[in-house]
Amino acid sequence: MKILGIETSCDETAAAVVEYGRGVISNVVASQIDLHKNFGGVVPEIAARSHLEVINQVVDEAVDKAGGWPVVDAIAVTSQPGLIGALLIGTLAARTYALTLGKPLISVHHIKGHIYANFLEQNHEIAFPILALVISGGHTQIIMLKTHDDFEILGSTRDDAVGEVFDKVAKILGLPYPGGPEISKIADQYHGELIDLPIAKMKGNQLDFSFSGLKTAVLRQAQKMAGVDINFPSFELAKKLIRNEKAQLAKSFEETVVKTLMRNMQQAGQDTVPKTIMLAGGVAANQRIRQGLVETFPNQKVLIAEPKFCGDNAAMIASAAFYQIQGQTDPYADPLDFSVLPRSAIS
Ligand code: KG4
Ligand code: ZN
């Protein structure tokens, strides 16, 4: 079975054709990063307009590479969560293709897609239960999958998502958007002493995260290094820091993020005794986090998606859709009565 996936929840317009949830036949991603760079983050109106401009072209390319529309058995699209204007473009395209070409339509949750990036191009059995750490620009969650249709959120961030903190810290250090890869780049060049930064202690659910204190601690350290007080404009701060100071802050920050994520994953692993560990989401491209997870679970099967499937893409949506429809009596969505949600928990 070949499924065409369509993904437009944030700033990538993507389409892909995937066979039986694993074999990637085509995978097209048109990134808008350059359009948003000047604004230091994603501008929702620009994102929606840009999706509209390229969506048909991106879908055509993915379908053509796979052998044309006749080979497509179903269309899967991200319906939630995400930027509403962006989601509306992808879902409208998917609904129109489904109706006019007579193909079944499958509605997919974006976070589920990120998890299923780990099934792509794998040719071995993947054992349940699965404990997944999903880290992206909008989400930070520890999720337990008992089966393909039984998901439980064990922990989430109570404030910023990990990717969001990477991006905000990068801004403090004067690094371009998206900040995650930039932070890693300069952190890798630093081999000196690290600054002690806080790991939030959580009241209530110990598997939850909080990153806003860490972000403020980095800001305070940067102000201290620059010799300015807390009223100094933060967008001017980077100019007062030398390269080595920025690298020290970046490395200290990155290592604290790794420790925070691994502390909770270790606890979740003890609580749930999973057979497979997975890492997913755009931030999963981070080498230190990838390494940290393998070291935290030395005796378990740890799956980490290839970097090209970590960021937003449509192959992961097609894969999630394939597993979602198995064993369901009524798996398809109605193109004329289709809900699109900016916020929604995986279920
Ligand atoms: O999953 P994604 O492409 O989009 C969302 O669904 O949010 O994730 C984007 C996020 C950005 O915040 C970006 O800075 C972060 O992933 N990111 C990284 C790295 N590569 C991308 N963060 C840390 N280290 C990286 N190597
Ligand atoms: Zn994402």
Side-chain angles (χ1 to χ4, degrees), residues 31 37 65 78 103 143 153 199 256 274 277 303 305 327 338 347:
S31 175
K37 242 184 184 136
K65 273 189 191 159
T78 306
K103 310 272 183 194
I143 298 172
I153 300 172
I199 295 180
T256 308
I277 309 288
L303 286 183
F338 188 90
S347 61

Side-chain angles (χ1 to χ4, degrees), residues 1-3 17 25 63 66-74 103:
M1 181 186 202
K2 295 188 179 112
I3 298 181
V17 176
I25 301 175
V63 171
W69 281 106
V71 308
V72 173
D73 297 303
K103 310 272 183 194

Side-chain angles (χ1 to χ4, degrees), residues 197-346:
L197 293 168
I199 295 180
K201 287 204 176 64
M202 306 309 295
K203 288 205 178 95
N205 184 359
Q206 301 285 306
L207 297 183
D208 276 351
F209 299 97
S210 167
F211 291 105
S212 64
L214 173 59
K215 176 187 63 191
T216 308
V218 173
L219 178 63
R220 296 288 172 261
Q221 279 294 336
Q223 288 162 338
K224 203 164 125 190
M225 282 173 170
V228 299
D229 69 15
I230 59 168
N231 298 315
F232 187 82
S234 55
F235 61 90
E236 298 272 356
L237 205 50
K239 289 184 205 147
K240 293 196 165 275
L241 298 172
I242 59 166
R243 195 174 166 78
N244 197 53
E245 290 170 330
K246 290 183 192 175
Q248 186 185 22
L249 280 169
K251 177 103 173 180
S252 307
F253 163 75
E254 191 178 48
E255 292 306 313
T256 308
V257 169
V258 176
K259 271 193 215 151
T260 310
L261 295 172
M262 296 314 139
R263 179 197 63 178
N264 288 20
M265 278 302 280
Q266 190 158 37
Q267 185 60 51
Q270 282 168 13
D271 296 350
T272 58
V273 198
K275 291 221 172 83
T276 306
I277 309 288
M278 284 185 177
L279 182 63
V283 186
N286 184 284
Q287 286 304 331
R288 286 291 302 123
I289 298 173
R290 296 167 84 92
Q291 202 181 332
L293 198 66
V294 172
E295 286 165 9
T296 305
F297 294 97
N299 303 316
Q300 251 143 327
K301 180 85 193 156
V302 178
L303 286 183
I304 306 178
E306 271 184 61
K308 70 174 172 195
F309 297 131
C310 286
D312 290 347
N313 66 86
M316 67 185 198
I317 301 302
S319 173
F322 173 78
Y323 289 102
Q324 182 175 304
I325 61 176
Q326 303 305 315
Q328 303 285 320
T329 45
D330 189 15
Y332 299 117
D334 179 351
L336 294 175
D337 183 15
F338 188 90
S339 56
V340 179
L341 303 168
R343 286 171 181 278
S344 88
I346 192 170

Side-chain angles (χ1 to χ4, degrees), residues 6-32:
I6 297 179
E7 154 66 42
T8 63
S9 67
C10 191
D11 60 346
E12 333 280 348
T13 316
V17 176
V18 176
E19 192 168 24
Y20 295 110
R22 300 204 183 197
V24 182
I25 301 175
S26 62
N27 183 34
V28 181
V29 181
S31 175
Q32 304 176 358

Side-chain angles (χ1 to χ4, degrees), residues 110 114 136-138 163-164 166-167 178-181 184 281-283 285-286 310-312:
H110 183 76
H114 273 304
S136 74
E164 200 178 349
F166 266 96
D167 296 339
S184 292
V283 186
N286 184 284
C310 286
D312 290 347

